[in-house]
Amino acid sequence: EKEKEKEKEKNESEKNENEGSSTKQLFGTSQEEIERILQPGHEYFNLNPFEVLKLPLEFTDSDLKKHYRLLSVLVHPDKNPDFPDAHKAFDFVSEANKTLKDPEKEKVCRGLASEARRRIIEHSQKGHYVDMETGKKLIDQEAIVDITDEVAFNQTLRLFVTKLFIEKQAKAEEAAQLQQAHKRREEEQRIQKEKEKKHQREQEEHWEATRDQRVNDWRSWQSGAKKQKIAPAVPKLKVEKNEKAQK
């Protein structure tokens, strides 16, 4: 039993050493990672879960588990009492992990990475970043790179993937705004129709409520008209002049 315990302790020690070595290779210090995740503009940069977790674009499930485990420990609020914003960094790490663990969202993320790779390769080979016929911009000019330069290509690729995530978010926000505007118009139309219905209903109720009064007024008017004596009109006589008599 003692040998088993020693073997277990040895394995755990080796595992911790390996993890410590992996952490140093993949990530910086706790402070460096917190600052990286919360850098200026992080609301946009952190839309890209690959960058948050420092994952390769063609990651495996094992990669995801490893990167999340190591990074979440580094930025955990309990491990960083001197950094009041550590909880924000931890939330971004958790959200990135949650996104890539969701099959549908993972598929979307991998699709954006593939699209970025395709566009960079295609337009770098053509040597232009706009459609020659329409003049429409297809890719950032900075994304035209020497695809044989692996380092430059990978750097450009990761940046362009982030750009696509930002564009995706912008489109989603625009669609949400349009939907809200549509709902507001519908609500305004509904309120206007309700007002019109209410006005019509009030008019009908008023008309019905004053019915007896109108009938009485009409009868009174008829009764008064019968009592009045109207003298017949006297026709005017035309006086003919006797021109001969005047002579």
Side-chain angles (χ1 to χ4, degrees), residues 61-196:
D61 289 342
S62 177
D63 291 331
L64 177 58
K65 291 178 182 178
K66 180 179 180 180
H67 282 236
Y68 173 66
R69 184 179 68 253
L70 297 177
L71 187 56
S72 61
V73 171
L74 276 175
V75 303
H76 199 285
D78 294 342
K79 300 282 186 179
N80 298 279
D82 296 333
F83 298 97
D85 289 336
H87 69 281
K88 295 181 181 179
F90 182 79
D91 289 344
F92 280 115
V93 171
S94 298
E95 184 62 27
N97 180 62
K98 183 179 177 181
T99 296
L100 294 177
K101 286 181 70 175
D102 183 293
E104 290 300 320
K105 292 180 180 179
E106 178 196 359
K107 184 178 179 181
V108 172
C109 292
R110 290 187 185 274
L112 290 176
S114 297
E115 174 64 11
R117 181 184 297 275
R118 183 193 68 77
R119 286 164 66 174
I120 290 176
I121 292 175
E122 178 181 348
H123 298 292
S124 292
Q125 289 175 337
K126 292 180 179 179
H128 59 75
Y129 66 101
V130 296
D131 188 307
M132 294 292 98
E133 294 182 358
T134 64
K136 182 180 178 181
K137 184 177 179 181
L138 301 172
I139 195 171
D140 285 345
Q141 188 172 8
E142 294 78 9
I144 303 297
V145 296
D146 181 0
I147 60 178
T148 62
D149 186 338
E150 186 175 351
V151 174
F153 176 79
N154 287 332
Q155 289 177 344
T156 301
L157 175 60
R158 294 189 75 87
L159 288 173
F160 198 66
V161 169
T162 297
K163 177 178 173 61
L164 293 187
F165 272 101
I166 294 173
E167 288 180 354
K168 176 179 175 293
Q169 179 66 17
K171 290 179 181 178
E173 291 176 355
E174 183 180 359
Q177 290 174 356
L178 290 173
Q179 186 176 14
Q180 289 178 355
H182 179 67
K183 287 183 178 180
R184 283 197 299 271
R185 285 195 298 272
E186 287 185 335
E187 181 64 14
E188 289 171 356
Q189 291 174 356
R190 185 190 67 79
I191 292 174
Q192 182 61 29
K193 287 182 179 179
E194 287 294 327
K195 287 182 178 179
E196 292 174 356

Side-chain angles (χ1 to χ4, degrees), residues 191-205:
I191 292 174
Q192 182 61 29
K193 287 182 179 179
E194 287 294 327
K195 287 182 178 179
E196 292 174 356
K197 287 181 180 179
K198 181 180 179 182
H199 179 66
Q200 183 178 358
R201 185 168 60 251
E202 289 175 347
Q203 285 186 320
E204 291 174 352
E205 290 174 354

Side-chain angles (χ1 to χ4, degrees), residues 5-20:
E5 290 180 1
K6 287 182 179 180
E7 185 66 24
K8 184 178 179 181
E9 291 176 359
K10 181 180 179 182
N11 291 336
E12 289 181 354
S13 177
E14 290 178 352
K15 180 180 178 181
N16 291 333
E17 288 180 2
N18 291 333
E19 286 195 352

